[in-house]
Amino acid sequence: MDKNKSTAIRLGYQSRKTEIGENMGKIPPQAVDLEEAVLGALMLEKDALTSVIDILKPESFYKDAHQEIYKAIVVLFNNSEPIDLLTVTNQLRKNGKLDLVGGSYYITELTSRVNSAANIEYHARIIAEQAIKRELIKISREIQNEAYEDTTDVFDLLDKTESELFDITNSNIKKNYADMHSLMKEAFRELEERKNHTDGLTGVPTGFSALDRVTSGWQKSDMVIIAARPGMGKTAFVVSALRNAAVDFKQPVAIFSLEMSSVQLVNRLISAEAELDSEKIKKGQLADYEWQQLVHKTAALTEAPIFIDDTPALSILELRAKCRRLKQQHDIQLVVIDYLQLMSGDSTKSGGGSGNREQEIASISRALKNIAKELNVPVIALSQLSRAVETRGGDKRPQLSDLRESGSIEQDADMVMFLYRPEYYGITEDENGIPTTNVGEVIIAKHRNGSLETVPLKFVGRFTKFSDLDSPGMNMEPSNPGYGTTFPSSANIPSDFDAPSSVTLPSKATGKDSDNNPDEAPF
């Protein structure tokens, strides 16, 4: 009878326990026994902390007492003081937390629970995993509460959710150091790959022969700033470059157009690809043969891996989230932002926009560099220049000091390029007497991993495009200001670009292209 009664009591207790679990919730993920073992091991072996300090944070521990003990241990470590039972107890006493953690007796108990620090790293990782689970539960609860609110903006909630999840990932999964042996192995592997590139391109090609010779293409993890005054052709240049990468070299690219709508941007691509006047494209006034030309020449463009986002006032938070998705889903190799000054900073970190604009631009610039490194792709951001260029005398070539609103742009960028068209300022000849009609200069003013040069390109305003400058009888280096440079252009021109209007024909001899159109609308 006593046995049956005992069984009934036990079953009743289990039933009650199940009922409590269902009605009152669950205990948060935790590993208190391992927390005790880790803290005890840290006080037994002086070098044990170096194995776990990049894994554990004070908030990784479930018990408040354990958080305070770990904080005391970290303070001793930062002060280069020994870590043992006595020093930790003394530090807790200094902090006024000794009684909170259970007194000296509890600290002593911790050291008696473990014999060595042999498995401390394994135990630390389990503690960190439990902390991540608790953080995920907390975020999920907050999301659930906000999702029930009628006043919640669902897209803001999505961005917040993705940002918080990414912060958890960033704070818990850190890149470890690498030894010289593995680094040399990786370097030699890359050298072997580069040896197979007979064209010298190691990054995403720009499609401009002379520029690719200087830069070897847009390099991975680089942040590139392309700056110019309005009307110089920033958008035309970058659209030409991403078109070359996507159509000719099949590289997936993404452009975030904050200034123009996606349809306007596509119209530019159509105008350049079909070599039809942009005004005709805008008005739809095309003859029958021009419609045929458009359909024929844009076939490759239709299949090109180009992704356009025209969200206005895009924030860094949204940009980061969208770039991650594009990288994951389409493996994009190039990101373009048109343009930087139209972006907004992360209001959650800037106190709702309480800082000044220079600080906001600085934070945007740093974030773009971080995105480039995180995704391991080049990020190209267009930027405006200050009016100081216009007030200067001479040829009005831009300088690094002309970058608008923040010196951080210059500091964070791996490469800074200026676009300059002498013709825009009424300069028809350079100092050598060479005509500057329809010529645009790409001035490389900062190049962290290469030389500083000036590369002349051809600007075709009515097609809103840049192309290689191809003029017979001249052979100069890209850095020479002369514009009659002979560059091989067949590498980046598809086979169907053989129409009489091709911009690579000798313009000075035939006069059949935009050289006779000095009044082209600036872009």
Side-chain angles (χ1 to χ4, degrees):
M1 184 71 181
D2 290 339
K3 184 177 180 181
N4 292 337
K5 185 177 180 180
S6 174
T7 303
I9 292 172
R10 178 170 53 81
L11 291 173
Y13 171 74
Q14 289 177 347
S15 175
R16 176 62 178 161
K17 186 178 179 183
T18 303
E19 182 182 345
I20 290 172
E22 290 176 352
N23 295 338
M24 299 183 65
K26 300 178 181 178
I27 298 174
Q30 55 184 287
V32 175
D33 53 341
L34 292 182
E35 291 181 10
E36 294 172 347
V38 166
L39 292 173
L42 290 175
M43 290 183 283
L44 282 180
E45 296 189 16
K46 63 177 184 177
D47 296 327
L49 185 60
T50 57
S51 301
V52 300
I53 197 166
D54 60 338
I55 301 172
L56 295 177
K57 299 172 290 186
E59 53 268 28
S60 300
F61 293 86
Y62 179 69
K63 290 184 68 174
D64 291 341
H66 294 168
Q67 292 184 15
E68 295 300 334
I69 294 170
Y70 187 71
K71 286 178 184 177
I73 291 172
V74 172
V75 169
L76 292 170
F77 177 79
N78 290 336
N79 294 335
S80 301
E81 296 179 14
I83 299 170
D84 56 36
L85 174 65
L86 295 177
T87 57
V88 172
T89 302
N90 187 52
Q91 184 62 45
L92 285 166
R93 188 178 289 111
K94 284 182 182 178
N95 296 343
K97 303 290 185 180
L98 186 58
D99 292 336
L100 178 66
V101 303
S104 302
Y105 175 77
Y106 185 71
I107 306 297
T108 306
E109 281 290 303
L110 290 176
T111 58
S112 66
R113 293 178 183 273
V114 65
N115 294 323
S116 73
N119 300 317
I120 189 171
E121 186 174 346
Y122 178 75
H123 294 160
R125 293 194 183 280
I126 295 176
I127 294 170
E129 288 173 7
Q130 301 304 311
I132 292 172
K133 289 179 181 178
R134 292 197 300 272
E135 192 66 25
L136 289 173
I137 291 169
K138 176 188 172 187
I139 292 173
S140 300
R141 189 179 294 116
E142 291 174 355
I143 293 168
Q144 187 177 17
N145 291 337
E146 290 190 37
Y148 276 111
E149 294 293 331
D150 293 335
T151 57
T152 300
D153 186 305
V154 66
F155 297 105
D156 287 343
L157 182 58
L158 281 172
D159 286 336
K160 179 185 175 184
T161 303
E162 189 162 14
S163 175
E164 289 180 343
L165 291 174
F166 181 69
D167 287 341
I168 293 176
T169 304
N170 264 3
S171 60
N172 289 282
I173 302 176
K174 295 182 174 66
K175 185 177 179 182
N176 207 349
Y177 62 84
D179 59 77
M180 198 61 185
H181 177 76
S182 58
L183 289 173
M184 288 293 289
K185 195 172 181 180
E186 178 69 15
F188 278 118
R189 185 188 64 79
E190 288 188 4
L191 284 173
E192 284 289 331
E193 290 180 357
R194 291 172 184 174
K195 184 182 71 174
N196 299 327
H197 291 286
T198 55
D199 52 9
L201 288 174
T202 58
V204 178
T206 68
F208 305 122
S209 306
L211 188 58
D212 280 338
R213 279 205 292 270
V214 178
T215 64
S216 297
W218 308 118
Q219 298 297 311
K220 292 180 178 180
S221 78
D222 273 6
M223 184 179 83
V224 181
I225 295 294
I226 298 175
R229 287 293 295 158
M232 287 294 168
K234 294 188 297 295
T235 305
F237 172 78
V238 79
V239 166
S240 297
L242 71 86
R243 175 263 166 216
N244 294 341
V247 175
D248 296 340
F249 298 94
K250 311 302 179 188
Q251 301 279 350
V253 298
I255 179 168
F256 295 86
S257 178
L258 286 78
E259 187 177 30
M260 301 171 60
S261 72
S262 55
V263 175
Q264 288 175 321
L265 208 57
V266 169
N267 283 338
R268 285 199 172 197
L269 283 163
I270 291 172
S271 174
E273 192 75 4
E275 297 188 334
L276 293 170
D277 197 306
S278 58
E279 286 297 316
K280 289 186 176 182
I281 296 288
K282 184 165 64 176
K283 297 174 181 178
Q285 297 175 346
L286 300 177
D288 290 342
Y289 77 91
E290 288 175 324
W291 277 108
Q292 294 175 5
Q293 181 178 335
L294 185 149
V295 172
H296 170 65
K297 290 200 171 186
T298 58
L301 187 63
T302 304
E303 303 300 323
I306 299 174
F307 305 94
I308 301 175
D309 187 308
D310 62 357
T311 304
L314 188 70
S315 71
I316 277 295
L317 187 67
E318 294 171 316
L319 176 68
R320 188 185 291 116
K322 290 179 177 184
C323 285
R324 280 196 221 110
R325 282 196 288 268
L326 284 166
K327 181 66 177 177
Q328 183 180 18
Q329 295 172 7
H330 303 287
D331 193 26
I332 56 170
Q333 298 299 309
L334 177 67
V335 174
V336 177
I337 296 101
D338 182 14
Y339 59 91
L340 189 148
Q341 278 81 9
L342 290 178
M343 292 193 68
S344 60
D346 187 352
S347 59
T348 60
K349 293 183 180 179
S350 61
S354 58
N356 60 41
R357 181 59 177 166
E358 183 175 343
Q359 291 173 338
E360 187 177 16
I361 291 293
S363 69
I364 292 171
S365 174
R366 285 191 296 271
L368 292 180
K369 177 59 181 174
N370 290 338
I371 291 171
K373 288 189 68 177
E374 177 198 336
L375 301 182
N376 197 31
V377 300
V379 172
I380 301 174
L382 305 191
S383 177
Q384 294 283 17
L385 292 177
S386 68
R387 291 190 180 90
V389 178
E390 310 294 336
T391 58
R392 262 202 312 269
D395 56 15
K396 303 186 187 298
R397 276 186 171 82
Q399 304 169 2
L400 285 173
S401 58
D402 297 324
L403 283 171
R404 189 173 170 185
E405 289 184 309
S406 178
S408 294
I409 298 176
E410 174 189 347
Q411 176 183 323
D412 296 330
D414 296 280
M415 189 185 303
V416 177
M417 294 179 171
F418 295 125
L419 290 182
Y420 171 71
R421 293 194 296 116
E423 185 182 15
Y424 182 83
Y425 294 109
I427 302 172
T428 57
E429 291 183 349
D430 67 1
E431 57 271 23
N432 298 320
I434 299 174
T436 60
T437 305
N438 298 322
V439 169
E441 294 180 9
V442 179
I443 303 170
I444 304 176
K446 178 184 178 182
H447 194 182
R448 189 163 282 162
N449 302 304
S451 59
L452 306 180
E453 303 200 24
T454 297
V455 179
L457 295 176
K458 189 174 193 175
F459 176 67
V460 190
R462 63 192 179 105
F463 298 153
T464 61
K465 68 186 289 186
F466 279 82
S467 65
D468 277 330
L469 188 66
D470 190 4
S471 186
M474 303 293 288
N475 187 12
M476 301 179 182
E477 292 298 319
S479 58
N480 193 304
Y483 305 121
T485 313
T486 300
F487 299 127
S489 56
S490 58
N492 70 306
I493 302 298
S495 58
D496 59 348
F497 270 61
D498 57 356
S501 59
S502 173
V503 298
T504 57
L505 290 174
S507 58
K508 298 295 184 294
T510 62
K512 290 183 180 179
D513 59 16
S514 65
D515 289 343
N516 296 324
N517 294 275
D519 297 325
E520 296 148 346
F523 291 84

